[in-house]
């Protein structure tokens, strides 16, 4: 792979051994559509390691053996690419970039990201906004990225919006991030300007420790994507921008509760359709409705019926992505046995007791926040959430064994 940056314009050329079909770090297959993309408003003189890591968030799935940058990178970044992916990176020769003093939040406007921003009320926000690609047709006009950007600006926080068409580098499965970390490409290129030493993401306990949504259903202390000692964590750290997960120790029930009670609650938006509010009819809205209903302890309120395509997976037995939250919702939503979640309920039979660990913070998640920002998160969690007991922490650490037994039964 060869990478060329011209200001915010990224051009990459595949080497003979590279392929246009690849896998993202979460194992999901992706197919390349085009080899250019653009990030607006970013400086042309950012540290070379920042350009390198930003490029890697886009080109990683298609790179097989080596990557050649248009400017020398540091030893540390080359080593992180080699150790994490087995990739030969060069040329090497830049001084490493020291971490700056500032933690920013990579802010999407969803409940998890709002919760992360609530832990650090002084942190500036960096918002990634999808814009159209000049050479790729937009088959997703219902995706209202303009609404999300407007909501981000309405938070009253220090917000940097970086517009990009990088999601159109993907032909399949649809426009989206080639790697989850591509959402940070703009923040990386802004890191010198903002003085960044850390970037906070809204990934919660399910994503960090339980294998997350569509991924593995097992305890994942060495998570390749999000652990500080994982490949991505080490690569970001090598460029002086530590990955920080302020809400990595709490479930989506807690992030939802924190978001809905925060001063940013009017700007929370997890659905990318709809202009005046969530569409209520997509799969994501259904999943979030289960969580909100559980947090508010009220019956499910959804127009989605069992004959709709988005309901199909709930008519099948587990396992489900995000299953810990399904169990949490099933145990708490009144009348759930009369909804399209009845099948899931009959298989999982969770109780409030069996899911109460999802109301507390998993302490190792605080321990892995870099020291400079750790105490603030620890204090926040002690005041607003509370820490898990050892027995509850064991529920995290044995997650997956019970799920797999359930799936085998
Ligand atoms: Zn929706």
């Amino acid at each position: 792979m060869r990478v060329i940056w011209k200001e915010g314009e990224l051009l990459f050329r595949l080497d003979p051994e590279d392929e246009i079909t690849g896998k993202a770090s979460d194992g999901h297959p992706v197919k390349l559509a085009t080899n250019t993309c653009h990030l607006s408003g970013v400086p042309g003189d950012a540290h070379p390691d920042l350009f390198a890591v930003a490029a890697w968030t886009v080109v990683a799935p298609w790179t097989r053996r080596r990557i050649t940058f248009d400017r020398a990178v540091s030893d540390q970044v080359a080593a992180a690419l080699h150790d994490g992916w087995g990739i030969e990176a060069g040329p090497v020769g830049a001084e490493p970039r020291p971490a700056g003093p500032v933690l920013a939040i990579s802010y999407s406007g969803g409940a998890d990201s709002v919760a992360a921003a609530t832990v650090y009320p002084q942190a500036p926000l960096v918002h990634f906004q999808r814009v159209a690609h000049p050479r790729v047709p937009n088959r997703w006009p219902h995706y209202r990225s303009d609404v999300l950007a407007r909501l981000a600006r309405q938070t009253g926080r220090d917000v940097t919006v970086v517009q990009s068409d990088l999601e159109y580098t993907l032909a399949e499965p649809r426009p989206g991030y080639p790697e989850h970390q591509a959402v940070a490409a703009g923040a990386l290129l802004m890191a010198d300007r903002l003085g960044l030493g850390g970037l906070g993401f809204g990934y919660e306990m399910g994503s960090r420790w339980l294998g997350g949504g569509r991924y593995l259903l097992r305890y994942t202390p060495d998570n390749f994507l999000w652990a500080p000692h994982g490949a991505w964590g080490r690569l970001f750290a090598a460029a002086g921008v530590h990955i920080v997960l302020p809400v990595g120790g709490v479930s989506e029930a807690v992030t939802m509760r924190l978001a809905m009670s925060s001063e940013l609650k009017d700007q929370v938006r997890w659905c990318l359709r709809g202009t005046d509010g969530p569409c209520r009819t997509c799969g994501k809205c259904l999943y979030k409705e289960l969580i909100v209903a559980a947090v508010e302890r009220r019956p499910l309120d959804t127009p989605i019926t069992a004959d709709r395509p988005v309901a199909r997976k709930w008519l099948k037995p587990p396992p489900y992505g995000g299953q810990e939250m399904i169990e949490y919702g099933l145990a708490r939503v009144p009348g759930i046995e009369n909804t399209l979640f009845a099948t899931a309920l009959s298989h999982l039979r969770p109780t409030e007791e069996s899911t109460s660990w999802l109301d507390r913070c998993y302490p190792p998640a605080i321990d892995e926040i870099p020291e400079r920002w750790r105490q603030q998160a620890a204090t926040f969690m002690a005041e607003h959430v509370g820490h898990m007991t050892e027995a509850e922490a064991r529920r995290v650490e044995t997650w997956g064994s019970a799920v797999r037994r359930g799936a085998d039964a």
Side-chain angles (χ1 to χ4, degrees), residues 362-363 387-397:
Y362 181 56
H387 293 293
M388 288 185 187
T389 62
E390 277 183 38
E392 288 169 332
R394 267 199 304 281
R395 300 299 301 268
V396 176
E397 291 156 8

Side-chain angles (χ1 to χ4, degrees), residues 186-202:
L188 286 165
L189 296 183
M190 295 298 295
D192 287 339
R193 289 287 193 279
L194 298 172
L196 298 192
L199 187 60
F201 294 83

Side-chain angles (χ1 to χ4, degrees), residues 91-105:
V92 172
E95 288 296 310
R97 176 183 178 272
V102 176
L103 172 71
I105 303 294

Side-chain angles (χ1 to χ4, degrees), residues 270-274 277-286:
W270 52 76
C271 177
L272 310 174
R273 301 157 192 250
C279 77
R280 302 184 73 238
T281 59
C282 72
K284 193 170 190 186
C285 278
L286 178 60

Side-chain angles (χ1 to χ4, degrees), residues 213-274:
R214 71 192 183 200
Y215 323 118
L216 316 157
L217 283 165
R218 61 174 170 77
Y219 176 55
T220 50
D222 302 323
N223 190 313
F224 188 89
L225 281 80
W226 301 115
H229 57 280
W232 283 103
R234 281 185 288 153
L235 179 63
F236 271 59
V241 183
H242 293 271
I243 288 179
V244 179
L245 303 184
V247 293
V250 300
S251 74
E252 286 183 87
V254 172
T255 57
M256 185 64 77
R257 178 168 64 75
L258 293 173
M260 300 303 238
S261 58
S262 90
E263 58 179 23
L264 305 181
K265 63 177 183 297
D266 295 334
Q267 283 86 42
V268 177
R269 182 71 61 85
W270 52 76
C271 177
L272 310 174
R273 301 157 192 250

